[in-house]
Structures are given as C-alpha cells and as structure tokens.
Amino acid sequence: METQPRSVAITFGFILLNILIWFTLGIIIAFDLHSAMPDQPLVKGIMAILSFAAAGTLSITLFFLQKHNHAAYYLMLLYLGIASLLIFFDDVGLVDLVALALSILPIILLIKDRVWYLQR
C-alpha cells in the first residue's frame, strides 16, 4: 500500500472540521442558543437531530474512507456535494460562504487523490 499523501491528511482535517461544525450546531440548537431558530420545539428538535445525524454520518463515512472503502468514497462525495448545494437554499452570508468552502475543498481534494482512496 502506498504511503498516505499529505493532501489526504488535509482532506481528513477538513472532514473532521465539518463533523465538529455539525455537532456544535446540534448542541447550539438543542440548548436553544441559536437566536434565529423558530419557537416551535418540534422544529428545533428535528433540526438538532438532523445536525447530530449529519455529524454521525460524516464520522462513520470518514472511518470507512480511511479503510479505502469504495462506497464510503462515493458517499462522502455525494454528502459533501449535497451539503454544498443546500447552502444556496438559505440567505447566503459570510458564515454560509465559509461552510461552502469547507464542503467544496474536501471534494476537490477527494477527487485529486481518488487513486489513493480507491486502491485495494
């Protein structure tokens, strides 16, 4: 097996940062610390659960991606691509642009190093 390229470690760092962001957002929503959230507890609960689910999905996919799992590679590309597109369904501000960059950069790096991820 080839040694891990430096850009793969950077990709994993970006993905870990995405996990941290989703997990932190879930905590912020769950503890009602987000001022722009609607007042309905059901909506807050669903959004918090979805944030934790996103963090969990990314964590599991990252684990399998490190094992050179082909499905995990394509699932990670799909997840990050959808996350990037969904940013445009909200009012795009500075925080959204940062989140967009944190989703697009790993996509670019994943594609760049696809041979390493897809090796047996």
Side-chain angles (χ1 to χ4, degrees), residues 2 5 11 15 17 29 39 60-61 89 96 102 110 115 120:
E2 295 178 26
T11 304
I15 295 169
L17 190 56
I29 293 170
D39 287 334
I60 292 167
T61 307
F89 288 102
D96 298 307
L102 291 175
L110 282 167
V115 172
R120 292 278 173 197

Side-chain angles (χ1 to χ4, degrees), residues 4-82:
Q4 178 178 317
R6 186 170 185 74
S7 56
V8 169
I10 293 169
T11 304
F12 291 158
F14 277 122
I15 295 169
L16 285 170
L17 190 56
N18 268 289
I19 293 167
L20 180 65
I21 289 169
W22 281 110
F23 186 73
T24 303
L25 180 63
I27 290 173
I28 288 170
I29 293 170
F31 287 100
D32 201 22
L33 301 174
H34 196 296
S35 61
M37 296 290 351
D39 287 334
Q40 298 94 348
L42 181 63
V43 173
K44 289 179 187 176
I46 290 171
M47 291 182 77
I49 289 170
L50 289 174
S51 294
F52 290 129
T57 301
L58 277 172
S59 298
I60 292 167
T61 307
L62 178 62
F63 172 78
F64 285 108
L65 185 63
Q66 291 173 332
K67 306 283 185 201
H68 300 277
N69 183 294
H70 290 210
Y73 173 78
Y74 293 110
L75 184 61
M76 186 65 76
L77 283 175
L78 179 68
Y79 176 88
L80 292 170
I82 290 172

